[in-house]
Amino acid sequence: QKEVEQDPGPLSVPEGAIVSLNCTYSNSAFQYFMWYRQYSRKGPELLMYTYSSGNKEDGRFTAQVDKSSKYISLFIRDSQPSDSATYLCAMTRMDSSYKLIFGSGTRLLVRP
Amino acid sequence: KAGVTQTPRYLIKTRGQQVTLSCSPISGHRSVSWYQQTPGQGLQFLFEYFSETQRNKGNFPGRFSGRQFSNSRSEMNVSTLELGDSALYLCASTSGATDTQYFGPGTRLTVL
């Protein structure tokens, strides 16, 4: 079983929809959670990072962490065609190293 | 601030050859991590360097090695290339202030 599970999609939504992306994890030692967006043939771009349970909002993006359920989410409001990309969750134990464990990524397509 | 830069962007090699990839982190970032991304395995951690010392290593064979220089620039080397080494190799530098990783555009290695 992988340490981080993420539905690969693809997820297809109409423009303006609210998108919900999720990851589950098995290692309770993970303390730091991130969401990256990756366009085709590009490197991952950091969208959000959170350290604790709860919600964090940045523009149209909201990251949610539930450590008790080992479940994290990313919500995208008013989705745009330019949001079409692969979204990767990542997490780390934050010990003496910055080793990130990634989910497999969810492909999102926002239809005009 | 300039982002993470990686050279070369594309590389074609044949089996048995060796290759060296280069990464320049964001100015002021002392940690550099390397990841391999393939369609089948996703993003996998290779190793992390901090102040010229390897702090953590992923589950890759000894053919994969790296180093970091005093100016924080890093190189990774893959010897005796195999077809399965074809991948996007990503470098990330980490901000010590926020513990967040920023990725470069990657080097796409094709092994024929």
Side-chain angles (χ1 to χ4, degrees):
Chain A
Q1 185 190 2
K2 290 185 177 181
E3 282 189 282
V4 180
E5 298 281 356
Q6 185 175 9
D7 188 333
L11 179 61
S12 181
V13 301
E15 182 175 354
I18 296 175
V19 175
S20 172
L21 303 165
N22 312 293
C23 287
T24 58
Y25 61 96
S26 58
N27 191 342
S28 58
F30 288 139
Q31 299 177 50
Y32 214 39
F33 306 90
M34 283 139 280
W35 286 95
Y36 287 85
R37 176 175 64 193
Q38 187 174 24
Y39 292 111
S40 181
R41 304 246 166 212
K42 303 282 187 183
E45 171 194 7
L46 180 66
L47 284 176
M48 302 281 287
Y49 65 94
T50 56
Y51 183 65
S52 58
S53 286
N55 293 353
K56 182 177 180 180
E57 189 173 319
D58 185 1
R60 297 185 296 112
F61 299 92
T62 299
Q64 197 172 77
V65 174
D66 182 349
K67 286 187 177 180
S68 62
S69 301
K70 298 190 184 69
Y71 189 88
I72 68 171
S73 300
L74 178 71
F75 298 96
I76 307 174
R77 290 182 298 280
D78 187 26
S79 56
Q80 303 295 310
S82 58
D83 294 328
S84 298
T86 296
Y87 290 79
L88 298 144
C89 64
M91 45 200 80
T92 182
R93 296 184 309 188
M94 284 305 293
D95 45 22
S96 60
S97 166
Y98 292 124
K99 174 182 177 179
L100 290 181
I101 306 299
F102 281 86
S104 56
T106 299
R107 276 186 56 210
L108 172 66
L109 174 63
V110 181
R111 308 185 306 272
Chain B
K1 246 185 189 178
V4 178
T5 58
Q6 292 186 244
T7 57
R9 293 293 311 279
Y10 302 90
L11 209 47
I12 299 175
K13 292 286 187 179
T14 56
R15 277 182 303 173
Q17 287 187 308
Q18 74 164 21
V19 67
T20 299
L21 312 180
S22 181
C23 171
S24 292
I26 293 171
S27 177
H29 289 191
R30 295 165 62 189
S31 167
V32 173
S33 301
W34 288 89
Y35 294 82
Q36 182 196 64
Q37 187 174 31
T38 59
Q41 299 298 318
L43 263 157
Q44 292 185 288
F45 174 80
L46 279 158
F47 28 66
E48 184 223 350
Y49 286 87
F50 182 85
S51 292
E52 302 179 65
T53 301
Q54 186 181 89
R55 283 208 298 199
N56 206 338
K57 190 177 190 308
N59 295 324
F60 280 83
R63 300 185 297 106
F64 292 81
S65 63
R67 60 178 175 167
Q68 186 181 33
F69 303 96
S70 58
N71 61 358
S72 294
R73 191 177 69 84
S74 177
E75 289 181 347
M76 69 163 281
N77 183 277
V78 188
S79 62
T80 320
L81 284 166
E82 301 177 359
L83 295 179
D85 297 333
S86 295
L88 181 67
Y89 289 89
L90 292 157
C91 167
S93 75
T94 304
S95 164
T98 61
D99 294 328
T100 47
Q101 288 194 24
Y102 298 89
F103 282 82
T107 294
R108 184 162 297 278
L109 172 65
T110 302
V111 182
L112 302 176

